[in-house]
Amino acid sequence: MSCAVTDGVAISCLCCAVHNCPLPLPSSHACFCIPHAHLEYVCIFPGCNAPTQLDMQTSEQEEEEEEEDEEDEENKVQVKVQDKQEQLQPKYKGLHFGRCRMHNKQFVVCPCSIVLAWATFYGSEGMFSVAPFLMSILPTCKAMPEVLFFDNNCTLGQYLIGRPEAKHFKETVLVVDVFHYKTKHADNNVYCSTHCNLASFPELYDLASETWTFNSSACKQTNTWICKYQGQLQEMSAIQFEFFLDEVIKARNEAIVEGLEH
Ligand SMILES: [Zn+2]
Ligand SMILES: [Zn+2]
Ligand SMILES: [Zn+2]
């Protein structure tokens, strides 16, 4: 029986501020890649395409609105002290002020801890990123593992319903790691408890040793290992970041293979 574990890890470097744009930045101070460089001078407020003011990321219009807000604020008789903290929060929640970071790295790991594949997700760890990634590295139904662990498998399973991609996953059981399942997945989620609960798959439990057949925490262990490099990765350019990760992952894989052979 074959098995793989996939998970996202929050290590990242700076990237273009346009959602999901994979192109590298021309310098460590840039917010945009070269094809998107013109956006540096367009207001970042959604729906506003006005030019920005000097050394700002918003246009005159947002400036005026902000002034009005401030006047309203001054007109209030008393401002409670505990509200102060709230006022310090940025006005335009969810907008990208300054430089952007890529969302996460996604790993696919064997239960023996060898990393099969890794990819950068720029925008999010959504299913529209996860499903095509898995299909690209495991390109046929046969190449897919019989068991795939993923903390978000209930979302993936439901995402696949009625989609053409579902064919690709039809031979694969999508389960959730037993510890994660107990702590994070509600018992009252019918889809999750019938499709992703390891307890519904007795063939994945070894009665003799009273353990689960597969080491589903292999990916978590890899994530913990890679996070040790976070400090170094922080300020790298995308090219250095990808190169560094490729090299350390390959070296670790080789060391694991060597360990398994002896
Ligand atoms: Zn870009
Ligand atoms: Zn604007
Ligand atoms: Zn679930």
Side-chain angles (χ1 to χ4, degrees), residues 42-52 57-63 92:
V42 176
C43 176
I44 62 162
F45 202 83
C48 176
N49 292 317
T52 53
Q57 286 187 281
T58 49
S59 66
E60 259 175 1
Q61 195 185 328
E62 276 72 45
E63 175 90 340
Y92 307 124

Short mmCIF file of all heavy atoms in Angstrom, two decimals, residues 42-52 57-63 92, ligand 2:
data_model
loop_
_atom_site.label_atom_id
_atom_site.label_comp_id
_atom_site.label_asym_id
_atom_site.label_seq_id
_atom_site.Cartn_x
_atom_site.Cartn_y
_atom_site.Cartn_z
N VAL A 42 -0.24 53.25 -8.86
CA VAL A 42 -1.71 53.21 -8.90
C VAL A 42 -2.19 52.98 -7.47
O VAL A 42 -1.62 52.17 -6.74
CB VAL A 42 -2.20 52.06 -9.82
CG1 VAL A 42 -3.71 51.95 -9.78
CG2 VAL A 42 -1.72 52.29 -11.25
N CYS A 43 -3.24 53.70 -7.07
CA CYS A 43 -3.79 53.57 -5.72
C CYS A 43 -4.12 52.11 -5.40
O CYS A 43 -4.68 51.40 -6.23
CB CYS A 43 -5.06 54.42 -5.63
SG CYS A 43 -5.90 54.27 -4.05
N ILE A 44 -3.78 51.67 -4.17
CA ILE A 44 -4.01 50.26 -3.83
C ILE A 44 -5.42 50.01 -3.32
O ILE A 44 -5.80 48.88 -3.06
CB ILE A 44 -3.00 49.74 -2.77
CG1 ILE A 44 -3.15 50.52 -1.46
CG2 ILE A 44 -1.59 49.78 -3.28
CD1 ILE A 44 -2.53 49.79 -0.29
N PHE A 45 -6.21 51.05 -3.17
CA PHE A 45 -7.59 50.86 -2.69
C PHE A 45 -8.40 50.13 -3.76
O PHE A 45 -8.40 50.52 -4.92
CB PHE A 45 -8.22 52.22 -2.37
CG PHE A 45 -9.36 52.11 -1.41
CD1 PHE A 45 -9.13 52.04 -0.05
CD2 PHE A 45 -10.66 52.04 -1.89
CE1 PHE A 45 -10.20 51.90 0.84
CE2 PHE A 45 -11.72 51.92 -1.01
CZ PHE A 45 -11.49 51.84 0.35
N PRO A 46 -9.12 49.02 -3.39
CA PRO A 46 -9.83 48.24 -4.41
C PRO A 46 -10.80 49.12 -5.20
O PRO A 46 -11.54 49.90 -4.63
CB PRO A 46 -10.60 47.19 -3.61
CG PRO A 46 -9.94 47.13 -2.29
CD PRO A 46 -9.34 48.47 -2.03
N GLY A 47 -10.77 48.96 -6.50
CA GLY A 47 -11.70 49.68 -7.36
C GLY A 47 -11.24 51.10 -7.71
O GLY A 47 -11.84 51.77 -8.53
N CYS A 48 -10.17 51.56 -7.07
CA CYS A 48 -9.67 52.92 -7.37
C CYS A 48 -8.41 52.81 -8.21
O CYS A 48 -7.45 52.18 -7.80
CB CYS A 48 -9.36 53.65 -6.07
SG CYS A 48 -8.64 55.29 -6.34
N ASN A 49 -8.45 53.36 -9.41
CA ASN A 49 -7.28 53.28 -10.28
C ASN A 49 -6.58 54.62 -10.42
O ASN A 49 -5.80 54.84 -11.34
CB ASN A 49 -7.67 52.74 -11.66
CG ASN A 49 -8.10 51.29 -11.58
OD1 ASN A 49 -7.45 50.49 -10.89
ND2 ASN A 49 -9.20 50.95 -12.23
N ALA A 50 -6.88 55.53 -9.49
CA ALA A 50 -6.29 56.86 -9.55
C ALA A 50 -4.79 56.78 -9.24
O ALA A 50 -4.35 55.88 -8.55
CB ALA A 50 -6.98 57.77 -8.54
N PRO A 51 -4.02 57.75 -9.79
CA PRO A 51 -2.58 57.73 -9.48
C PRO A 51 -2.33 58.05 -8.01
O PRO A 51 -3.10 58.76 -7.38
CB PRO A 51 -2.01 58.83 -10.39
CG PRO A 51 -3.18 59.66 -10.78
CD PRO A 51 -4.40 58.82 -10.70
N THR A 52 -1.25 57.48 -7.48
CA THR A 52 -0.94 57.70 -6.06
C THR A 52 -0.32 59.09 -5.86
O THR A 52 0.22 59.69 -6.78
CB THR A 52 0.08 56.68 -5.55
OG1 THR A 52 1.21 56.71 -6.41
CG2 THR A 52 -0.49 55.29 -5.50
N GLN A 57 0.81 55.16 -1.10
CA GLN A 57 0.24 54.06 -1.89
C GLN A 57 -1.23 54.30 -2.19
O GLN A 57 -1.89 53.44 -2.75
CB GLN A 57 0.43 52.74 -1.15
CG GLN A 57 1.88 52.26 -1.20
CD GLN A 57 1.99 50.88 -0.60
OE1 GLN A 57 2.01 50.73 0.60
NE2 GLN A 57 2.07 49.88 -1.43
N THR A 58 -1.74 55.43 -1.74
CA THR A 58 -3.15 55.74 -2.01
C THR A 58 -3.26 57.05 -2.78
O THR A 58 -2.32 57.84 -2.83
CB THR A 58 -3.94 55.87 -0.70
OG1 THR A 58 -3.22 56.74 0.16
CG2 THR A 58 -4.14 54.53 -0.02
N SER A 59 -4.45 57.28 -3.35
CA SER A 59 -4.68 58.49 -4.13
C SER A 59 -5.24 59.61 -3.24
O SER A 59 -5.50 59.38 -2.06
CB SER A 59 -5.66 58.19 -5.25
OG SER A 59 -6.92 57.88 -4.68
N GLU A 60 -5.46 60.75 -3.85
CA GLU A 60 -5.99 61.91 -3.10
C GLU A 60 -7.33 61.59 -2.45
O GLU A 60 -7.63 62.04 -1.37
CB GLU A 60 -6.15 63.09 -4.05
CG GLU A 60 -5.03 64.08 -3.90
CD GLU A 60 -5.10 65.19 -4.92
OE1 GLU A 60 -6.05 65.21 -5.74
OE2 GLU A 60 -4.20 66.04 -4.90
N GLN A 61 -8.13 60.79 -3.17
CA GLN A 61 -9.49 60.50 -2.69
C GLN A 61 -9.47 59.86 -1.30
O GLN A 61 -10.22 60.26 -0.41
CB GLN A 61 -10.19 59.58 -3.68
CG GLN A 61 -11.68 59.54 -3.42
CD GLN A 61 -12.35 58.53 -4.33
OE1 GLN A 61 -11.92 58.31 -5.46
NE2 GLN A 61 -13.41 57.94 -3.84
N GLU A 62 -8.58 58.86 -1.12
CA GLU A 62 -8.51 58.18 0.17
C GLU A 62 -8.02 59.14 1.25
O GLU A 62 -8.44 59.08 2.39
CB GLU A 62 -7.57 56.97 0.11
CG GLU A 62 -8.25 55.73 -0.41
CD GLU A 62 -8.51 55.80 -1.90
OE1 GLU A 62 -7.59 56.22 -2.63
OE2 GLU A 62 -9.62 55.48 -2.33
N GLU A 63 -7.13 60.05 0.85
CA GLU A 63 -6.61 61.05 1.79
C GLU A 63 -7.76 61.91 2.32
O GLU A 63 -7.91 62.14 3.50
CB GLU A 63 -5.59 61.93 1.04
CG GLU A 63 -5.07 63.08 1.86
CD GLU A 63 -3.82 62.69 2.63
OE1 GLU A 63 -3.60 61.49 2.83
OE2 GLU A 63 -3.09 63.57 3.00
N TYR A 92 -7.04 50.43 6.13
CA TYR A 92 -7.53 49.62 5.02
C TYR A 92 -7.13 48.18 5.25
O TYR A 92 -6.17 47.70 4.72
CB TYR A 92 -6.98 50.13 3.71
CG TYR A 92 -7.22 51.59 3.53
CD1 TYR A 92 -6.17 52.47 3.30
CD2 TYR A 92 -8.50 52.11 3.61
CE1 TYR A 92 -6.40 53.82 3.14
CE2 TYR A 92 -8.74 53.45 3.47
CZ TYR A 92 -7.69 54.32 3.24
OH TYR A 92 -7.91 55.64 3.10
ZN ZN B 2 -7.56 55.72 -4.51
#
